[in-house]
Amino acid sequence: MTTEAMPAVDAQLQASVNQFYAAHMQLLDEGRIEAWASFFTPDGTFAVDSHPVPARGRAEIIAGATRTVTQLAEQGITRRHWLGMSVIRPQDRSVRVRSYALVYQITAEGPALRASTTCEDVLVPDGGSWLIRERVVRQDAPA
Amino acid sequence: MTTEAMPAVDAQLQASVNQFYAAHMQLLDEGRIEAWASFFTPDGTFAVDSHPVPARGRAEIIAGATRTVTQLAEQGITRRHWLGMSVIRPQDRSVRVRSYALVYQITAEGPALRASTTCEDVLVPDGGSWLIRERVVRQDAPA
Amino acid sequence: MTTEAMPAVDAQLQASVNQFYAAHMQLLDEGRIEAWASFFTPDGTFAVDSHPVPARGRAEIIAGATRTVTQLAEQGITRRHWLGMSVIRPQDRSVRVRSYALVYQITAEGPALRASTTCEDVLVPDGGSWLIRERVVRQDAPA
């Protein structure tokens, strides 16, 4: 098995990454956008393949997420983001994490799967935890 | 980032919590209700927002879960409980864990998502593992 | 609580198992079948309850998975395998892992849940990581 396919991972590193993503996604789903955006570095970038230009810096990231959260609230939609199946690749002082992310929506009709994506992050250390320097989210497409 | 939003977590603590929930949910889905209920403290409480009064103590918890399991069996329904995105907050000797939980049902029509919930537990130490002293499950509602 | 229901788990063991499965499933979903199959021992077995005879050894495992991946590509289907809720039971030098696994499919109609299964693996140590000596996947059935 190649190291490229299966990098070794330290337990404390993985635990802190898991906790980071759980807190990050719960904040998003609660609409606490400023707290959620504080998980990015001040100059962090957030690219989504459906948008031509990535958001750069917390102010742009907050503006974009606030638009989405406002629209969802107007439509009566609650979301639940599940991020998992994370492959963690330490490199120098940062880590690259490639994860799957599912978005569930709860509407008057009940819960339903809305989107299946991959999420690739570059995380940099911040005290005992992490900040996102770069995020790229890609919608999963048919083969 | 505030400590409130993103508490530090020890790897061994997180590992034991993960293993605890995996074993707990597999027992429930296998219908092994007494073994599943042994993950609560003898005086543990289990509140679900759809019921007016929480179950108190293992006997009540077993009685309620047995009714559900019996009904599902009569309807030919298998369930799979996925708990994840857990934020673990140590406090004194206990830990608070706020998780998302999805319930999948398998019927003759195949598998389908049945419910999306949050699960808030207070866990107390029990040897090298945990027991649930308080559980509150809330159905996710439209915004 | 019995040790049978709730085995203790070491954080580094769990971290390496999590990373192993994440890398393994991402390779499968990318169609990198030889890299994916290198996570089995050379004489590893892969049994699926819908097939009468298990695949034995990497060549058979690769052949079976290649057929599936080719068919899915012809039908324009992307898959995402989520494995989780893993109960890890160390025994001697190997570990038994019983997990839930969900298969999502992405087609022109969007993402949808395709299958809910259990996956029981016997993992043997390989340097700092693992190889699968035996895998049994069972489709979840109605009660």
Side-chain angles (χ1 to χ4, degrees):
Chain A
M1 191 184 311
T2 63
T3 302
E4 179 262 331
M6 179 56 213
V9 67
D10 170 73
Q12 190 55 46
L13 168 57
Q14 188 183 84
S16 66
V17 168
N18 288 345
Q19 179 88 336
F20 177 83
Y21 281 122
H24 183 59
M25 293 305 179
Q26 291 201 10
L27 289 169
L28 178 61
D29 294 336
E30 290 166 10
R32 296 172 61 188
I33 298 303
E34 298 215 2
W36 168 80
S38 74
F39 285 52
F40 288 85
T41 62
D43 61 348
T45 58
F46 185 171
V48 182
D49 59 0
S50 55
H51 292 278
V53 180
R56 285 189 183 279
R58 285 186 187 159
E60 284 189 24
I61 291 171
I62 290 172
T66 300
R67 275 192 299 276
T68 302
V69 163
T70 305
Q71 286 175 355
L72 291 170
E74 288 170 357
Q75 300 170 57
I77 296 169
T78 298
R79 282 195 172 165
R80 292 289 179 257
H81 287 79
W82 284 68
L83 187 142
M85 304 308 291
S86 300
V87 179
I88 298 172
R89 298 176 199 280
Q91 45 177 209
D92 307 325
R93 297 188 64 240
S94 65
V95 290
R96 287 190 171 268
V97 187
R98 184 178 194 271
S99 308
Y100 291 170
L102 297 174
V103 185
Y104 294 94
Q105 290 199 161
I106 296 93
T107 64
E109 280 76 51
L113 178 63
R114 166 68 182 188
S116 174
T117 68
T118 59
C119 178
E120 292 192 59
D121 282 347
V122 178
L123 305 181
V124 294
D126 175 60
S129 184
W130 303 96
L131 291 175
I132 305 160
R133 195 172 63 198
E134 290 178 45
R135 166 166 292 174
V136 179
V137 174
R138 294 183 183 86
Q139 198 83 16
D140 291 332
Chain B
M1 191 183 312
T2 63
T3 301
E4 178 262 332
M6 179 57 214
V9 67
D10 171 72
Q12 190 56 45
L13 168 56
Q14 189 183 82
S16 67
V17 168
N18 289 343
Q19 180 88 336
F20 176 83
Y21 281 123
H24 183 59
M25 294 303 179
Q26 290 202 9
L27 289 169
L28 178 61
D29 294 337
E30 290 166 10
R32 296 172 60 188
I33 298 303
E34 298 215 2
W36 168 80
S38 75
F39 285 52
F40 289 84
T41 62
D43 61 349
T45 58
F46 185 171
V48 183
D49 58 0
S50 55
H51 292 279
V53 181
R56 286 189 183 279
R58 285 185 186 158
E60 284 189 25
I61 291 171
I62 290 171
T66 300
R67 276 193 297 275
T68 302
V69 163
T70 305
Q71 286 176 356
L72 292 170
E74 287 169 359
Q75 300 171 56
I77 295 170
T78 297
R79 283 196 171 164
R80 292 289 179 258
H81 287 78
W82 285 67
L83 186 142
M85 305 307 292
S86 299
V87 179
I88 299 172
R89 299 177 199 280
Q91 46 178 208
D92 305 326
R93 296 187 65 239
S94 65
V95 290
R96 286 190 173 269
V97 188
R98 185 180 194 268
S99 307
Y100 291 171
L102 297 174
V103 185
Y104 294 94
Q105 290 200 162
I106 296 94
T107 64
E109 282 76 51
L113 178 61
R114 166 68 181 187
S116 175
T117 69
T118 59
C119 178
E120 292 192 59
D121 282 348
V122 178
L123 305 181
V124 293
D126 176 59
S129 185
W130 302 98
L131 291 175
I132 305 160
R133 195 173 63 197
E134 289 179 46
R135 166 165 292 174
V136 178
V137 174
R138 293 183 183 85
Q139 199 83 15
D140 292 332
Chain C
M1 189 185 310
T2 64
T3 301
E4 179 261 331
M6 178 57 215
V9 67
D10 171 73
Q12 190 55 46
L13 167 57
Q14 188 184 82
S16 67
V17 168
N18 289 344
Q19 179 89 335
F20 177 83
Y21 281 123
H24 183 59
M25 293 305 178
Q26 290 202 10
L27 289 169
L28 178 61
D29 294 336
E30 290 166 11
R32 296 173 59 187
I33 298 303
E34 299 216 1
W36 168 80
S38 74
F39 284 51
F40 289 85
T41 62
D43 61 348
T45 58
F46 185 172
V48 183
D49 58 1
S50 55
H51 291 279
V53 182
R56 285 188 182 279
R58 285 185 187 159
E60 285 189 24
I61 291 171
I62 289 171
T66 300
R67 277 193 297 275
T68 302
V69 163
T70 304
Q71 286 175 356
L72 291 170
E74 288 170 357
Q75 300 171 56
I77 295 169
T78 297
R79 282 195 172 166
R80 292 289 178 258
H81 287 78
W82 284 67
L83 187 141
M85 304 307 292
S86 300
V87 179
I88 299 172
R89 298 177 199 280
Q91 46 178 206
D92 306 327
R93 295 189 64 240
S94 64
V95 290
R96 286 189 173 269
V97 188
R98 184 178 194 269
S99 309
Y100 291 170
L102 297 174
V103 185
Y104 294 95
Q105 289 200 162
I106 296 94
T107 65
E109 280 77 49
L113 178 63
R114 166 68 180 189
S116 174
T117 68
T118 59
C119 179
E120 292 192 59
D121 282 348
V122 178
L123 305 181
V124 293
D126 176 59
S129 184
W130 303 97
L131 292 174
I132 305 159
R133 194 172 64 198
E134 291 178 46
R135 167 167 291 174
V136 178
V137 174
R138 293 183 183 85
Q139 199 83 16
D140 290 333

